[in-house]
Amino acid sequence: MGQLVVVSNRVAIPEKIAKVRPGGLEVAIKAALKDKTGIWFGWSGKIAARAKIATRKIVHDKITYITLDLSKEDHHEYYNGFTNRVLWPILHYRVDLAEFSRRDLSGYLRVNDHFARELHEVLRPDDFIWVHDYHLMPLAKALRERGHKNRIGFFLHVPCPPPEILTALPHHERLIPSLCEYDLVGFQTGDDAFNFSRYLTRECGLHSRDFNFVVSERMIRIDVFPVGIETATFAYLAQRSVHLPFVKRVIGSLVGRALIIGVDRLDYSKGIAHRLSAFELFLRAQSDWRGKVTYLQIATRSRTEIPEYADMEKEIGSAAGRINGAYGEADWTPIRYINRPYSHATLAGLYRAARVGLVTPLRDGMNLVAKEYVASQNADDPGVLILSRFAGAAHEFKAALLVNPYDPDSVAGAIGRALSMPLAERRERQSALFQVLSRNDIQHWADRFLTALEQEPKPLSQLEKMSSMG
Ligand code: ADP
Ligand code: F6P
């Protein structure tokens, strides 16, 4: 049987001093590959002069890491340009923020082609290829053009908006249908899968039966695979981490105040500015809580060369300062706003110490932070998760306090409710949430996807019959 070849933009290269780099995709794949054998292929994270672009290979445990550098131009056009200034905003329903240029699109296609060229050197005919995320949508097409008939799967970690939004993507007709070159296309939620299926029907005239589409003599299958976390490991880490000297110091510094925690990459999709406004409203409307609560917002810088990110950072920094100025006292700072990343061990301890987990993205594929917060709680005295209904996690986490992040009253109200929630209700909600996490941890996610990818497709004749009926 062939080997597993995972392809993603980011790769968690084993390094002596592992850097903490927030990002769901890397965290998820790293955990999913534990105890598996195969190749992890992608960008080295390095930008090199054209003449010095290198491909490196490292073998660690049972994984061979193969990474490529990007040229300055590729990085600018592919990563900072088309991927994160066009695809990212549109996939997160922010058409207003998309900045399209033909040059960036060419860079995106060029890097995908570069990946395909390098992969071509290592692929064997029976390998299973699992491609991740919006950076690499046209990769299967580039591989098929080189003659690869392997089973290739694609998983989209971010949301898939409805066709009414997807069609705002310039040249969508060239890019989105190229996903049909995969054998299996996985999404985080049923809504995402349904949106993609509607796109295929509306824009490509394709019909499906049970999410199976026939496309030029081939069949593609769409399915839902909500990504999980290392539930047991996180729970274990959290139990131990409350004893870490740093976590103990943080707890001590609260002097008995209730802790609310937010942990995010600094990204406009995370709704941090809206969250701060909601917290301000909470302090204004529920003044009894002033001086009794501390909101710790850890927001690590991300994609800093992109202007929309720099603007957002300024906005959030000044909002936090303004709220602290308006409501703080000489002995109380309502918001602790921190840009540094922390290790998962430290985060687990901080999550466990927090009475409230505030996770209010405006739109998110899944949001692993919500899952990590739940995994870290003490079942006997758990905190409460406040979760945006627009996070993929809300599809599984019905027992969280679900809020509309665009409605500050809804979030402020939930903060008050979470802080005063009786123990019995907190326990009940935590137990329901933890059950979801235990059923679908990261291993389960990876195994389900790979089993589906390895499955023989239904015979074409049967599907053609189904499609013509569909
Ligand atoms: P995204 O994929 O958009 O970054 P997720 O919430 O799905 O969002 O995943 C983020 C991952 O990065 C989580 O594993 C989280 O613990 C980690 N992370 C986020 N912010 C930080 C931070 N400030 N320090 C360390 N890790 C972080
Ligand atoms: O999970 C969504 C995602 O875009 C991943 O693909 C990515 O690794 C992560 O967020 C962080 O973004 P970046 O790799 O651009 O730092």
Side-chain angles (χ1 to χ4, degrees), residues 133-314:
D133 235 358
Y134 59 102
H135 315 79
L136 299 170
M137 291 201 293
L139 187 64
K141 183 162 184 281
L143 288 170
R144 302 280 184 225
E145 284 166 0
R146 286 174 170 78
H148 294 284
K149 297 200 166 30
N150 304 54
R151 205 67 69 72
I152 316 182
F154 178 84
F155 183 76
L156 187 69
H157 289 250
V158 299
C160 180
E164 290 77 2
I165 289 183
L166 273 180
T167 47
L169 170 68
H171 302 278
H172 66 89
E173 62 287 355
R174 200 165 154 198
L175 270 186
I176 308 294
S178 70
L179 289 172
C180 293
E181 297 291 340
Y182 290 92
D183 299 287
L184 173 67
V185 180
F187 295 93
Q188 299 276 25
T189 70
D191 284 351
D192 299 314
F194 179 63
N195 287 340
F196 179 59
S197 142
R198 269 187 65 221
Y199 176 93
L200 292 183
T201 303
R202 211 178 93 154
E203 297 297 316
C204 312
L206 299 171
H207 294 279
S208 79
R209 201 32 90 86
D210 299 332
F211 279 170
N212 291 300
F213 287 84
V214 179
V215 186
S216 357
E217 308 281 296
R218 286 185 50 256
M219 153 167 150
I220 86 152
R221 189 177 145 203
I222 297 176
D223 212 337
V224 180
F225 304 89
V227 67
I229 59 164
E230 291 184 281
T231 308
T233 310
F234 234 98
Y236 176 70
L237 261 185
Q239 267 177 37
R240 294 186 27 166
S241 297
V242 277
H243 303 297
L244 289 176
F246 175 72
V247 175
K248 277 175 140 172
R249 269 207 320 275
V250 176
I251 296 172
S253 73
L254 296 170
V255 289
R257 294 183 176 113
L259 177 65
I260 300 176
I261 194 166
V263 176
D264 307 80
R265 259 186 323 105
L266 248 179
D267 193 296
Y268 48 79
S269 64
K270 304 294 180 185
I272 304 171
H274 289 69
R275 196 182 304 164
L276 290 172
S277 303
F279 183 66
E280 181 178 16
L281 180 63
F282 163 74
L283 292 179
R284 196 177 328 130
Q286 304 196 36
S287 53
D288 287 358
W289 279 105
R290 289 188 202 166
K292 296 185 187 138
V293 63
T294 296
Y295 166 24
L296 170 62
Q297 176 62 57
I298 302 173
T300 308
R301 292 193 179 94
S302 171
R303 306 176 191 167
T304 46
E305 291 165 22
I306 300 177
E308 291 75 26
Y309 285 75
D311 294 348
M312 174 200 50
E313 187 179 341
K314 272 194 217 128

Side-chain angles (χ1 to χ4, degrees), residues 43-54 56 68-80 305:
W43 175 35
S44 63
K46 294 195 171 70
I47 301 167
R50 276 236 175 266
K52 292 204 176 139
I53 286 182
R56 285 179 209 84
L68 320 175
D69 301 336
L70 290 182
S71 71
K72 213 170 157 194
E73 188 186 24
D74 284 347
H75 181 252
H76 182 69
E77 294 171 9
Y78 152 80
Y79 180 75
N80 279 336
E305 291 165 22

